[in-house]
Amino acid sequence: HALGVPEARIATESFLAPGQREPVEEVEPAPAPAPAATLNGEAAPSITFARSGQHKLMGETETVLEAAESLGIKIGYDCRSGICGTCRVRLLAGNVAMEVTDALTARERTRGVILSCQARCLDGVVVDA
């Protein structure tokens, strides 16, 4: 992008073992209420996994994938560095920060797809997992 190459001319490629990557349904993220969470009277980042209904307060550096693992929720992963895309999930509510988003297309980013291995919750987050 910095060199002026049009988006349509940019391609990325990831290599995975067959059957490891589940497709993420491409639909607009639906707003869902994120539960209010407080820690010592302050707003605290939290996560709710919509499919299981499980909820937890997030550690300062904890990723969505790590939170899922701590609750026994299965989210596929491979590289844990944001380049393979195996850990993609849909963000239904809230805001996350991601250092690396190489495995996401521009379209996926605008449709609320995140990389759970990179995503850190900034507020009350709900994901489709």
Side-chain angles (χ1 to χ4, degrees), residues 1 4 6 13 27 30 34 46 53 65 91 102 129:
H1 295 286
E13 192 170 6
V27 296
S46 64
L65 178 59
L91 179 66
D102 293 347

Side-chain angles (χ1 to χ4, degrees), residues 7-13:
E7 178 72 29
R9 304 271 312 176
I10 298 173
T12 58
E13 192 170 6

Side-chain angles (χ1 to χ4, degrees), residues 15-30:
F15 298 93
L16 302 171
Q20 282 187 329
R21 184 174 181 171
E22 290 183 25
V24 173
E25 184 180 333
E26 289 204 18
V27 296
E28 293 296 328

Side-chain angles (χ1 to χ4, degrees), residues 31-87:
T38 58
L39 183 61
N40 300 325
E42 299 277 327
S46 64
I47 189 162
T48 298
F49 294 91
R51 292 183 196 178
S52 69
Q54 293 193 63
H55 174 79
K56 73 173 281 188
L57 292 177
M58 295 295 288
E60 189 174 315
T61 61
E62 189 174 21
T63 66
V64 169
L65 178 59
E66 291 166 342
E69 290 173 330
S70 75
L71 294 171
I73 297 168
K74 299 219 183 282
I75 294 178
Y77 68 90
D78 193 23
C79 72
R80 288 190 183 257
S81 60
I83 59 171
C84 77
T86 303
C87 67

Side-chain angles (χ1 to χ4, degrees), residues 81-83 97-105 109 113 115 118:
S81 60
I83 59 171
M98 293 184 287
E99 291 179 23
V100 178
T101 59
D102 293 347
L104 297 175
T105 65
R109 286 191 294 273
V113 177
L115 299 173
Q118 295 291 300

